[in-house]
Amino acid sequence: AAGVIQSPRHLIKEKRETATLKCYPIPRHDTVYWYQQGPGQDPQFLISFYEKMQSDKGSIPDRFSAQQFSDYHSELNMSSLELGDSALYFCASRPGTGPNYEQYFGPGTRLTVT
Amino acid sequence: AQTVTQSQPEMSVQEAETVTLSCTYDTSENNYYLFWYKQPPSRQMILVIRQEAYKQQNATENRFSVNFQKAAKSFSLKISDSQLGDTAMYFCAFMTPPYETSGSRLTFGEGTQLTVNP
């Protein structure tokens, strides 16, 4: 079965640089979530999209922006990177309807800021 | 806002034995979902089990079962016949349905690192 695809899997950037993380949801999933997991921490919700519109916003810095495109893939854009942005970034997707509302997670993108 | 608390940062169990991981949560919502996710060293987030708050029956998935106490806002995970492959970080998570005002984001607990010893 198809899973959530995230690219790149690993990314190394320097402070003040920009980064773009991409997420390709499972086919026919129209809702996408982004989570940030710092070292030794639990995942924290950043932002979500439903049918290409932002549906919910969490603790996402103003330096970050995201969008969902017509093919339902999503991109997380991160500017003026800081050392504290080093983390594992997960994308998750789920279908818009259904009884379970289960979120399916991608493998994550590990971002290292030096 | 919802909060999820896991009071056991680390636990260990012998292979083939049973272990229970604790989770409590706080919410004013009546309709919600609870999950246990497993994160092995690969860091992949894997759904272990799901419980709908409106269901009184505790969920079971093979060796994994939950004890859901809605009034006490408690959601523990029992792993029977523990296997070496169960070694992982376990996260308890809370979610309201997308039609609720609080949205469908997952709120995670701090996690419990479970080690299964041979």
Side-chain angles (χ1 to χ4, degrees), chain B residues 16-67:
Chain B
E17 292 188 344
T18 296
V19 64
T20 299
L21 279 56
S22 301
C23 172
T24 59
Y25 59 94
D26 189 24
T27 183
S28 58
E29 302 286 349
N30 188 53
N31 190 20
Y32 51 86
Y33 296 79
L34 295 163
F35 304 88
W36 279 98
Y37 279 89
K38 166 185 176 180
Q39 188 175 43
S42 67
R43 306 299 299 277
Q44 174 74 47
M45 293 293 286
I46 302 167
L47 179 66
V48 174
I49 199 165
R50 171 187 57 243
Q51 175 78 42
E52 294 87 342
Y54 63 85
K55 290 187 177 179
Q56 294 184 342
Q57 185 174 5
N58 289 323
T60 299
E61 288 287 343
N62 300 314
R63 298 183 295 107
F64 300 87
S65 62
V66 299
N67 183 4

Short mmCIF file of all heavy atoms in Angstrom, two decimals, chain B residues 16-67:
data_model
loop_
_atom_site.label_atom_id
_atom_site.label_comp_id
_atom_site.label_asym_id
_atom_site.label_seq_id
_atom_site.Cartn_x
_atom_site.Cartn_y
_atom_site.Cartn_z
N ALA B 16 8.38 -11.86 26.91
CA ALA B 16 7.25 -12.75 27.18
C ALA B 16 6.38 -12.31 28.36
O ALA B 16 5.32 -12.90 28.59
CB ALA B 16 7.69 -14.19 27.40
N GLU B 17 6.82 -11.28 29.08
CA GLU B 17 6.00 -10.80 30.19
C GLU B 17 5.05 -9.69 29.73
O GLU B 17 5.07 -9.28 28.57
CB GLU B 17 6.90 -10.33 31.32
CG GLU B 17 7.66 -11.47 31.97
CD GLU B 17 8.40 -11.05 33.23
OE1 GLU B 17 8.59 -9.83 33.44
OE2 GLU B 17 8.79 -11.95 34.00
N THR B 18 4.24 -9.24 30.66
CA THR B 18 3.24 -8.21 30.37
C THR B 18 3.64 -6.89 31.01
O THR B 18 4.18 -6.87 32.13
CB THR B 18 1.86 -8.65 30.90
OG1 THR B 18 1.45 -9.81 30.18
CG2 THR B 18 0.82 -7.55 30.70
N VAL B 19 3.39 -5.81 30.31
CA VAL B 19 3.72 -4.48 30.84
C VAL B 19 2.57 -3.53 30.52
O VAL B 19 1.88 -3.68 29.52
CB VAL B 19 5.04 -3.96 30.22
CG1 VAL B 19 4.91 -3.77 28.72
CG2 VAL B 19 5.51 -2.69 30.89
N THR B 20 2.36 -2.57 31.42
CA THR B 20 1.30 -1.58 31.23
C THR B 20 1.89 -0.18 31.27
O THR B 20 2.59 0.18 32.22
CB THR B 20 0.23 -1.72 32.32
OG1 THR B 20 -0.37 -3.02 32.22
CG2 THR B 20 -0.86 -0.66 32.13
N LEU B 21 1.59 0.61 30.24
CA LEU B 21 2.03 1.99 30.15
C LEU B 21 0.85 2.90 30.47
O LEU B 21 -0.26 2.69 29.98
CB LEU B 21 2.54 2.30 28.74
CG LEU B 21 3.96 1.87 28.37
CD1 LEU B 21 4.19 0.38 28.58
CD2 LEU B 21 4.27 2.26 26.92
N SER B 22 1.10 3.92 31.26
CA SER B 22 0.02 4.80 31.74
C SER B 22 -0.08 6.08 30.93
O SER B 22 0.93 6.59 30.41
CB SER B 22 0.24 5.14 33.21
OG SER B 22 0.28 3.98 33.99
N CYS B 23 -1.28 6.60 30.86
CA CYS B 23 -1.54 7.87 30.17
C CYS B 23 -2.78 8.50 30.78
O CYS B 23 -3.80 7.82 30.98
CB CYS B 23 -1.74 7.65 28.68
SG CYS B 23 -2.29 9.11 27.76
N THR B 24 -2.70 9.76 31.10
CA THR B 24 -3.88 10.51 31.51
C THR B 24 -3.99 11.74 30.62
O THR B 24 -3.02 12.19 30.05
CB THR B 24 -3.81 10.94 32.99
OG1 THR B 24 -2.63 11.74 33.19
CG2 THR B 24 -3.78 9.74 33.91
N TYR B 25 -5.19 12.26 30.53
CA TYR B 25 -5.41 13.41 29.66
C TYR B 25 -6.43 14.33 30.30
O TYR B 25 -7.15 13.95 31.24
CB TYR B 25 -5.87 12.96 28.27
CG TYR B 25 -7.14 12.15 28.30
CD1 TYR B 25 -8.38 12.76 28.12
CD2 TYR B 25 -7.09 10.77 28.52
CE1 TYR B 25 -9.55 12.01 28.16
CE2 TYR B 25 -8.25 10.02 28.56
CZ TYR B 25 -9.47 10.64 28.39
OH TYR B 25 -10.63 9.90 28.44
N ASP B 26 -6.47 15.53 29.83
CA ASP B 26 -7.42 16.51 30.34
C ASP B 26 -8.10 17.20 29.16
O ASP B 26 -7.43 17.68 28.25
CB ASP B 26 -6.70 17.55 31.20
CG ASP B 26 -7.69 18.45 31.93
OD1 ASP B 26 -8.84 18.01 32.16
OD2 ASP B 26 -7.32 19.58 32.28
N THR B 27 -9.40 17.20 29.18
CA THR B 27 -10.17 17.84 28.12
C THR B 27 -11.56 18.16 28.62
O THR B 27 -12.06 17.52 29.55
CB THR B 27 -10.27 16.93 26.89
OG1 THR B 27 -10.95 17.62 25.85
CG2 THR B 27 -11.01 15.64 27.20
N SER B 28 -12.18 19.13 27.99
CA SER B 28 -13.58 19.45 28.27
C SER B 28 -14.49 18.91 27.17
O SER B 28 -15.70 19.06 27.25
CB SER B 28 -13.75 20.97 28.39
OG SER B 28 -13.34 21.61 27.20
N GLU B 29 -13.87 18.29 26.16
CA GLU B 29 -14.63 17.72 25.07
C GLU B 29 -15.27 16.41 25.48
O GLU B 29 -14.76 15.69 26.36
CB GLU B 29 -13.71 17.49 23.85
CG GLU B 29 -13.00 18.73 23.35
CD GLU B 29 -13.91 19.67 22.59
OE1 GLU B 29 -15.05 19.29 22.28
OE2 GLU B 29 -13.46 20.80 22.30
N ASN B 30 -16.38 16.08 24.83
CA ASN B 30 -17.04 14.81 25.12
C ASN B 30 -16.77 13.78 24.03
O ASN B 30 -16.81 12.58 24.27
CB ASN B 30 -18.55 15.02 25.26
CG ASN B 30 -19.25 13.78 25.75
OD1 ASN B 30 -18.88 13.20 26.77
ND2 ASN B 30 -20.25 13.35 25.00
N ASN B 31 -16.48 14.26 22.83
CA ASN B 31 -16.25 13.39 21.69
C ASN B 31 -14.80 13.52 21.26
O ASN B 31 -14.37 14.60 20.84
CB ASN B 31 -17.19 13.75 20.55
CG ASN B 31 -17.15 12.73 19.44
OD1 ASN B 31 -16.72 11.59 19.64
ND2 ASN B 31 -17.58 13.12 18.27
N TYR B 32 -14.06 12.44 21.35
CA TYR B 32 -12.64 12.50 20.99
C TYR B 32 -12.10 11.10 20.73
O TYR B 32 -12.80 10.10 20.91
CB TYR B 32 -11.83 13.20 22.10
CG TYR B 32 -12.04 12.65 23.48
CD1 TYR B 32 -11.31 11.57 23.96
CD2 TYR B 32 -12.98 13.23 24.34
CE1 TYR B 32 -11.51 11.08 25.23
CE2 TYR B 32 -13.19 12.74 25.62
CZ TYR B 32 -12.46 11.67 26.07
OH TYR B 32 -12.67 11.18 27.33
N TYR B 33 -10.85 11.08 20.29
CA TYR B 33 -10.18 9.83 20.00
C TYR B 33 -8.85 9.79 20.76
O TYR B 33 -8.20 10.83 20.94
CB TYR B 33 -9.90 9.70 18.49
CG TYR B 33 -11.14 9.63 17.64
CD1 TYR B 33 -11.86 10.78 17.33
CD2 TYR B 33 -11.60 8.41 17.15
CE1 TYR B 33 -13.00 10.72 16.56
CE2 TYR B 33 -12.74 8.35 16.38
CZ TYR B 33 -13.44 9.51 16.09
OH TYR B 33 -14.58 9.45 15.32
N LEU B 34 -8.47 8.60 21.14
CA LEU B 34 -7.19 8.40 21.81
C LEU B 34 -6.39 7.36 21.05
O LEU B 34 -6.96 6.40 20.50
CB LEU B 34 -7.41 7.94 23.26
CG LEU B 34 -8.08 8.96 24.17
CD1 LEU B 34 -8.61 8.29 25.42
CD2 LEU B 34 -7.11 10.08 24.54
N PHE B 35 -5.09 7.57 21.01
CA PHE B 35 -4.21 6.69 20.26
C PHE B 35 -2.96 6.35 21.07
O PHE B 35 -2.53 7.14 21.92
CB PHE B 35 -3.74 7.36 18.96
CG PHE B 35 -4.84 7.85 18.06
CD1 PHE B 35 -5.37 9.12 18.23
CD2 PHE B 35 -5.32 7.06 17.03
CE1 PHE B 35 -6.38 9.59 17.40
CE2 PHE B 35 -6.33 7.52 16.19
CZ PHE B 35 -6.86 8.78 16.37
N TRP B 36 -2.39 5.23 20.76
CA TRP B 36 -1.02 4.91 21.18
C TRP B 36 -0.19 4.75 19.91
O TRP B 36 -0.56 3.96 19.03
CB TRP B 36 -0.96 3.64 22.01
CG TRP B 36 -1.33 3.85 23.45
CD1 TRP B 36 -2.52 3.62 24.04
CD2 TRP B 36 -0.45 4.32 24.48
NE1 TRP B 36 -2.47 3.93 25.38
CE2 TRP B 36 -1.20 4.36 25.67
CE3 TRP B 36 0.90 4.71 24.52
CZ2 TRP B 36 -0.65 4.77 26.89
CZ3 TRP B 36 1.44 5.14 25.72
CH2 TRP B 36 0.67 5.16 26.89
N TYR B 37 0.90 5.52 19.84
CA TYR B 37 1.84 5.41 18.74
C TYR B 37 3.15 4.84 19.27
O TYR B 37 3.57 5.13 20.38
CB TYR B 37 2.12 6.77 18.10
CG TYR B 37 1.07 7.24 17.12
CD1 TYR B 37 -0.03 7.97 17.56
CD2 TYR B 37 1.18 6.96 15.77
CE1 TYR B 37 -1.00 8.41 16.66
CE2 TYR B 37 0.22 7.39 14.86
CZ TYR B 37 -0.87 8.12 15.33
OH TYR B 37 -1.83 8.54 14.43
N LYS B 38 3.80 4.07 18.43
CA LYS B 38 5.09 3.49 18.74
C LYS B 38 6.13 4.13 17.84
O LYS B 38 5.91 4.30 16.63
CB LYS B 38 5.03 1.98 18.47
CG LYS B 38 6.35 1.25 18.43
CD LYS B 38 6.09 -0.22 18.04
CE LYS B 38 7.39 -0.98 17.88
NZ LYS B 38 7.15 -2.40 17.50
N GLN B 39 7.28 4.53 18.43
CA GLN B 39 8.37 5.10 17.65
C GLN B 39 9.64 4.31 17.94
O GLN B 39 10.34 4.56 18.91
CB GLN B 39 8.54 6.59 17.96
CG GLN B 39 9.53 7.27 17.03
CD GLN B 39 9.63 8.77 17.24
OE1 GLN B 39 9.68 9.25 18.37
NE2 GLN B 39 9.65 9.53 16.15
N PRO B 40 9.98 3.37 17.07
CA PRO B 40 11.21 2.59 17.25
C PRO B 40 12.43 3.43 16.90
O PRO B 40 12.28 4.61 16.51
CB PRO B 40 11.01 1.43 16.26
CG PRO B 40 10.09 1.97 15.22
CD PRO B 40 9.20 2.96 15.93
N PRO B 41 13.61 2.87 17.04
CA PRO B 41 14.82 3.64 16.72
C PRO B 41 14.84 4.23 15.32
O PRO B 41 15.52 5.23 15.07
CB PRO B 41 15.94 2.60 16.90
CG PRO B 41 15.40 1.69 17.94
CD PRO B 41 13.92 1.58 17.67
N SER B 42 14.10 3.67 14.39
CA SER B 42 14.02 4.24 13.04
C SER B 42 13.32 5.60 13.04
O SER B 42 13.37 6.33 12.03
CB SER B 42 13.27 3.29 12.10
OG SER B 42 11.90 3.19 12.50
N ARG B 43 12.61 5.93 14.13
CA ARG B 43 11.88 7.20 14.32
C ARG B 43 10.57 7.24 13.56
O ARG B 43 9.86 8.24 13.59
CB ARG B 43 12.72 8.43 13.97
CG ARG B 43 14.06 8.52 14.66
CD ARG B 43 13.96 8.60 16.18
NE ARG B 43 13.24 9.75 16.67
CZ ARG B 43 13.78 10.96 16.83
NH1 ARG B 43 15.04 11.16 16.50
NH2 ARG B 43 13.04 11.96 17.30
N GLN B 44 10.21 6.18 12.86
CA GLN B 44 8.91 6.12 12.19
C GLN B 44 7.81 6.12 13.24
O GLN B 44 7.93 5.44 14.26
CB GLN B 44 8.82 4.86 11.33
CG GLN B 44 7.46 4.63 10.69
CD GLN B 44 7.20 5.55 9.53
OE1 GLN B 44 8.03 5.75 8.65
NE2 GLN B 44 6.02 6.16 9.50
N MET B 45 6.74 6.85 13.02
CA MET B 45 5.58 6.85 13.93
C MET B 45 4.60 5.79 13.45
O MET B 45 4.07 5.87 12.34
CB MET B 45 4.91 8.22 13.93
CG MET B 45 5.76 9.33 14.53
SD MET B 45 6.01 9.13 16.30
CE MET B 45 4.41 9.59 16.92
N ILE B 46 4.35 4.80 14.30
CA ILE B 46 3.52 3.66 13.94
C ILE B 46 2.32 3.61 14.87
O ILE B 46 2.48 3.57 16.10
CB ILE B 46 4.32 2.35 14.04
CG1 ILE B 46 5.55 2.41 13.14
CG2 ILE B 46 3.44 1.15 13.68
CD1 ILE B 46 6.56 1.30 13.40
N LEU B 47 1.13 3.59 14.30
CA LEU B 47 -0.07 3.50 15.12
C LEU B 47 -0.18 2.10 15.70
O LEU B 47 -0.12 1.11 14.98
CB LEU B 47 -1.31 3.82 14.30
CG LEU B 47 -2.64 3.73 15.05
CD1 LEU B 47 -2.71 4.79 16.14
CD2 LEU B 47 -3.81 3.86 14.09
N VAL B 48 -0.37 2.04 17.01
CA VAL B 48 -0.50 0.75 17.69
C VAL B 48 -1.97 0.40 17.90
O VAL B 48 -2.41 -0.71 17.60
CB VAL B 48 0.23 0.77 19.06
CG1 VAL B 48 -0.02 -0.51 19.82
CG2 VAL B 48 1.72 1.01 18.86
N ILE B 49 -2.73 1.36 18.42
CA ILE B 49 -4.11 1.09 18.77
C ILE B 49 -4.88 2.40 18.89
O ILE B 49 -4.29 3.46 19.16
CB ILE B 49 -4.18 0.26 20.08
CG1 ILE B 49 -5.52 -0.45 20.24
CG2 ILE B 49 -3.83 1.12 21.28
CD1 ILE B 49 -5.49 -1.55 21.31
N ARG B 50 -6.18 2.33 18.67
CA ARG B 50 -7.05 3.51 18.67
C ARG B 50 -8.29 3.22 19.51
O ARG B 50 -8.81 2.10 19.50
CB ARG B 50 -7.44 3.81 17.23
CG ARG B 50 -8.50 4.86 17.03
CD ARG B 50 -8.91 4.94 15.57
NE ARG B 50 -9.39 3.66 15.08
CZ ARG B 50 -8.79 2.98 14.12
NH1 ARG B 50 -7.69 3.43 13.56
NH2 ARG B 50 -9.30 1.83 13.72
N GLN B 51 -8.77 4.27 20.19
CA GLN B 51 -9.99 4.13 21.00
C GLN B 51 -10.89 5.35 20.76
O GLN B 51 -10.43 6.49 20.86
CB GLN B 51 -9.63 4.06 22.49
CG GLN B 51 -10.80 4.04 23.45
CD GLN B 51 -11.47 2.68 23.54
OE1 GLN B 51 -10.81 1.65 23.59
NE2 GLN B 51 -12.79 2.66 23.54
N GLU B 52 -12.13 5.10 20.44
CA GLU B 52 -13.09 6.18 20.32
C GLU B 52 -13.75 6.40 21.67
O GLU B 52 -14.17 5.44 22.32
CB GLU B 52 -14.17 5.82 19.28
CG GLU B 52 -13.67 5.70 17.87
CD GLU B 52 -13.16 4.30 17.51
OE1 GLU B 52 -12.87 3.52 18.45
OE2 GLU B 52 -13.04 4.00 16.32
N ALA B 53 -13.88 7.64 22.09
CA ALA B 53 -14.38 7.94 23.42
C ALA B 53 -15.82 7.49 23.62
O ALA B 53 -16.24 7.19 24.75
CB ALA B 53 -14.26 9.43 23.72
N TYR B 54 -16.60 7.43 22.54
CA TYR B 54 -18.01 7.06 22.67
C TYR B 54 -18.19 5.55 22.82
O TYR B 54 -19.28 5.08 23.10
CB TYR B 54 -18.81 7.58 21.48
CG TYR B 54 -18.42 7.00 20.14
CD1 TYR B 54 -18.94 5.79 19.70
CD2 TYR B 54 -17.53 7.67 19.32
CE1 TYR B 54 -18.58 5.27 18.47
CE2 TYR B 54 -17.16 7.14 18.09
CZ TYR B 54 -17.69 5.94 17.66
OH TYR B 54 -17.34 5.43 16.45
N LYS B 55 -17.11 4.80 22.62
CA LYS B 55 -17.20 3.34 22.77
C LYS B 55 -16.78 2.94 24.18
O LYS B 55 -15.71 3.30 24.64
CB LYS B 55 -16.30 2.65 21.74
CG LYS B 55 -16.80 2.76 20.31
CD LYS B 55 -15.94 1.91 19.38
CE LYS B 55 -16.48 1.95 17.96
NZ LYS B 55 -15.65 1.15 17.02
N GLN B 56 -17.62 2.19 24.83
CA GLN B 56 -17.30 1.74 26.18
C GLN B 56 -16.35 0.55 26.15
O GLN B 56 -15.57 0.36 27.09
CB GLN B 56 -18.58 1.38 26.94
CG GLN B 56 -19.48 2.58 27.21
CD GLN B 56 -20.68 2.20 28.05
OE1 GLN B 56 -21.04 1.04 28.16
NE2 GLN B 56 -21.31 3.20 28.65
N GLN B 57 -16.40 -0.23 25.08
CA GLN B 57 -15.55 -1.41 24.99
C GLN B 57 -14.11 -1.01 24.74
O GLN B 57 -13.83 -0.19 23.85
CB GLN B 57 -16.04 -2.34 23.89
CG GLN B 57 -15.30 -3.65 23.81
CD GLN B 57 -15.91 -4.59 22.79
OE1 GLN B 57 -16.82 -4.23 22.07
NE2 GLN B 57 -15.40 -5.81 22.74
N ASN B 58 -13.19 -1.61 25.49
CA ASN B 58 -11.78 -1.33 25.32
C ASN B 58 -11.27 -1.95 24.02
O ASN B 58 -11.58 -3.09 23.69
CB ASN B 58 -10.98 -1.89 26.50
CG ASN B 58 -11.23 -1.11 27.77
OD1 ASN B 58 -11.37 0.12 27.74
ND2 ASN B 58 -11.27 -1.80 28.90
N ALA B 59 -10.45 -1.18 23.31
CA ALA B 59 -9.89 -1.65 22.04
C ALA B 59 -8.81 -2.71 22.28
O ALA B 59 -8.08 -2.67 23.29
CB ALA B 59 -9.31 -0.47 21.26
N THR B 60 -8.71 -3.63 21.34
CA THR B 60 -7.71 -4.70 21.39
C THR B 60 -7.16 -4.92 19.99
O THR B 60 -7.92 -4.95 19.02
CB THR B 60 -8.31 -6.01 21.92
OG1 THR B 60 -8.81 -5.80 23.24
CG2 THR B 60 -7.28 -7.11 21.95
N GLU B 61 -5.84 -5.04 19.91
CA GLU B 61 -5.17 -5.36 18.65
C GLU B 61 -4.09 -6.40 18.95
O GLU B 61 -2.99 -6.07 19.36
CB GLU B 61 -4.53 -4.11 18.03
CG GLU B 61 -5.50 -3.12 17.44
CD GLU B 61 -6.13 -3.59 16.13
OE1 GLU B 61 -5.60 -4.53 15.51
OE2 GLU B 61 -7.16 -3.00 15.75
N ASN B 62 -4.44 -7.65 18.76
CA ASN B 62 -3.50 -8.75 19.01
C ASN B 62 -2.96 -8.69 20.44
O ASN B 62 -3.73 -8.82 21.39
CB ASN B 62 -2.39 -8.71 17.97
CG ASN B 62 -2.92 -8.85 16.56
OD1 ASN B 62 -3.75 -9.71 16.28
ND2 ASN B 62 -2.47 -7.98 15.66
N ARG B 63 -1.67 -8.46 20.63
CA ARG B 63 -1.08 -8.46 21.97
C ARG B 63 -1.28 -7.13 22.70
O ARG B 63 -0.88 -7.00 23.86
CB ARG B 63 0.42 -8.75 21.86
CG ARG B 63 0.75 -10.11 21.27
CD ARG B 63 2.26 -10.35 21.26
NE ARG B 63 2.97 -9.43 20.37
CZ ARG B 63 3.72 -8.43 20.78
NH1 ARG B 63 3.89 -8.21 22.08
NH2 ARG B 63 4.34 -7.66 19.91
N PHE B 64 -1.85 -6.15 22.03
CA PHE B 64 -2.01 -4.82 22.59
C PHE B 64 -3.48 -4.58 22.97
O PHE B 64 -4.37 -4.85 22.17
CB PHE B 64 -1.56 -3.76 21.60
CG PHE B 64 -0.11 -3.88 21.19
CD1 PHE B 64 0.26 -4.70 20.12
CD2 PHE B 64 0.87 -3.19 21.86
CE1 PHE B 64 1.60 -4.82 19.75
CE2 PHE B 64 2.20 -3.29 21.49
CZ PHE B 64 2.57 -4.11 20.44
N SER B 65 -3.70 -4.07 24.15
CA SER B 65 -5.04 -3.73 24.58
C SER B 65 -4.97 -2.48 25.45
O SER B 65 -3.90 -2.12 25.95
CB SER B 65 -5.68 -4.88 25.36
OG SER B 65 -4.94 -5.15 26.54
N VAL B 66 -6.10 -1.81 25.56
CA VAL B 66 -6.14 -0.59 26.36
C VAL B 66 -7.15 -0.75 27.48
O VAL B 66 -8.07 -1.55 27.42
CB VAL B 66 -6.49 0.65 25.51
CG1 VAL B 66 -5.45 0.87 24.43
CG2 VAL B 66 -7.89 0.55 24.93
N ASN B 67 -6.94 0.06 28.53
CA ASN B 67 -7.91 0.21 29.61
C ASN B 67 -8.33 1.66 29.59
O ASN B 67 -7.59 2.54 30.04
CB ASN B 67 -7.29 -0.17 30.95
CG ASN B 67 -8.31 -0.10 32.08
OD1 ASN B 67 -9.50 0.15 31.85
ND2 ASN B 67 -7.87 -0.32 33.29
#
